[in-house]
Amino acid sequence: MNTTVEHADFFKTLEEKSDGGKLRGDYSPADERYVVRQDWGAYTPEQHALWRRLYQRQAKLVPGRACDEFIDALARLDAADAIPQFERASDALYKATRWQLVAVPGLIPDLTFFEHLAARRFPVTVWLRAPHEFDYIVEPDVFHDFFGHVPLLFNPIFADHLQEYGRGGLKALKLDALTYLARLYWYTVEFGLIQGEQGLRAYGAGILSSGGEIGYCLTSPKPRRILLDAERVMRTRYKIDSYQETYFVIRDFEHLFAATEPDFAPVYARLKTMESLPADSLLPGEANLRPNACPEEMVS
């Protein structure tokens, strides 16, 4: 891949997102879409063993904490024993919702990321964290991407939502509004909560792949839990180096799809005239849901 003039600005942006300004992963064999081949045979026995440890820890934590759709799909993936082969998982996913997985070296430019989502392709990082990063990692690795994101792509409503998000991202780039859409992605796809029949459950990949936040988000009295309103979410800043101070809650995936379906152009225009809100804000009239709130509290 030619990474001279054409990709220089992209890599500068990517390095700003990465700890110490250095990106993990080998970008040299990537094509123009930043796609690489998953060399599954190159993973070592030690890496597969680390994957099993990560998987076993999270598999014990998700019952009673993850939404049912995630748990059901995770079982279908049969990925407990080794780092999964993307091609096999992609075949099953395509049959379910016509999504495919593409292997990438690591973080990729926003434009390319949105183009993949808009075409129902989900980018999955090929490298796995080191043993000393078992509990925390700065950049998303294969465990975060696969374990956290892929299962919900088997849900037709969520799968359609993510495609629309990709299309919306391409539009947001043209409107200089990516900051707002990034907040929406963060608070839903990465750190969203959903109201299940038995109480609050997690559906965000950042929560589902975390050993600590998956319990904290549901039971701690510290964070705020607010019913999702897309404009409110896009106005709210977030932190990347701590557990979330606010979680936004959807009633179901239809709620998420409906909330993010309208044209956001006029919303972006309004937001550009307003101050952003701190991550721990609670506005007048907003309900702060109790940990594991009952369904009766989920009113607009």
Side-chain angles (χ1 to χ4, degrees), residues 12 33 48 56 80-81 97 130 142 147 169 174 200 209 242 287 299:
K12 180 179 179 181
R33 292 176 174 172
H48 288 299
Q56 289 166 4
D81 295 331
T97 58
V142 62
F147 186 98
K174 297 177 182 178
L200 293 177
S209 60
S242 64
V299 294

Side-chain angles (χ1 to χ4, degrees), residues 207-222:
I207 299 173
L208 295 169
S209 60
S210 169
E213 194 156 3
I214 192 169
Y216 174 88
C217 70
L218 301 175
T219 61
S220 173
K222 294 181 181 180

Side-chain angles (χ1 to χ4, degrees), residues 61-291:
L61 292 173
V62 294
R65 297 182 178 94
C67 63
D68 291 340
E69 293 87 347
F70 177 87
I71 293 175
D72 292 344
L74 186 64
R76 294 172 61 183
L77 284 170
D78 189 26
D81 295 331
I83 298 170
Q85 298 184 45
F86 296 173
E87 186 173 349
R88 289 179 54 191
S90 191
D91 288 343
L93 182 60
Y94 188 81
K95 292 176 182 177
T97 58
R98 302 189 71 80
W99 271 78
Q100 295 175 291
L101 305 182
V102 292
V104 294
L107 290 170
I108 60 176
D110 295 323
L111 174 62
T112 308
F113 179 69
F114 294 138
E115 287 175 339
H116 279 306
L117 296 189
R120 298 178 87 88
R121 297 188 300 262
F122 191 82
V124 180
T125 300
V126 294
W127 58 265
L128 180 68
R129 68 191 71 185
H132 71 271
E133 298 169 306
F134 186 84
D135 290 316
Y136 177 76
I137 192 167
V138 177
E139 292 179 39
D141 69 341
V142 62
F143 183 76
H144 167 83
D145 284 346
F146 193 94
F147 186 98
H149 283 287
V150 174
L152 278 182
L153 288 172
F154 281 87
N155 179 273
I157 299 173
F158 187 84
D160 288 345
H161 160 73
L162 205 58
Q163 181 180 31
E164 290 304 314
Y165 181 90
R167 292 170 175 168
L170 296 173
K171 184 175 182 179
L173 283 171
K174 297 177 182 178
L175 297 175
D176 191 27
L178 188 57
T179 295
Y180 307 123
L181 205 66
R183 291 170 179 171
L184 185 64
Y185 187 89
W186 184 267
Y187 280 118
T188 57
V189 177
E190 291 290 354
F191 289 95
L193 298 182
I194 187 170
Q195 178 61 55
E197 293 183 1
Q198 305 302 318
L200 293 177
R201 296 292 185 265
Y203 73 91
I207 299 173
L208 295 169
S209 60
S210 169
E213 194 156 3
I214 192 169
Y216 174 88
C217 70
L218 301 175
T219 61
S220 173
K222 294 181 181 180
R224 290 155 175 76
R225 301 171 182 86
I226 304 170
L227 189 67
L228 181 135
D229 173 86
E231 185 167 340
R232 165 67 160 96
V233 173
M234 289 191 282
R235 193 182 169 193
T236 307
R237 297 191 295 269
Y238 59 85
K239 296 181 179 179
I240 65 172
D241 57 355
S242 64
Y243 291 162
Q244 300 307 298
E245 296 178 299
T246 296
Y247 298 95
F248 289 93
V249 183
I250 59 174
R251 300 183 187 90
D252 48 37
F253 288 124
E254 287 86 352
H255 176 198
L256 176 63
F257 192 84
T260 55
E261 187 177 21
D263 178 13
F264 284 151
V267 177
Y268 297 150
R270 283 196 301 272
L271 289 171
K272 289 179 181 179
T273 68
M274 305 166 70
E275 290 188 4
S276 296
L277 298 171
D280 62 350
S281 59
L282 186 67
L283 300 181
E286 284 185 334
N288 184 13
L289 301 178
R290 294 183 294 104

Side-chain angles (χ1 to χ4, degrees), residues 11-33:
F11 274 92
K12 180 179 179 181
T13 301
L14 287 170
E15 288 173 357
E16 290 173 352
K17 298 179 181 180
S18 180
D19 187 35
K22 298 296 181 182
L23 285 169
R24 303 275 287 268
D26 180 8
Y27 287 75
S28 61
D31 66 14
E32 67 278 2
R33 292 176 174 172

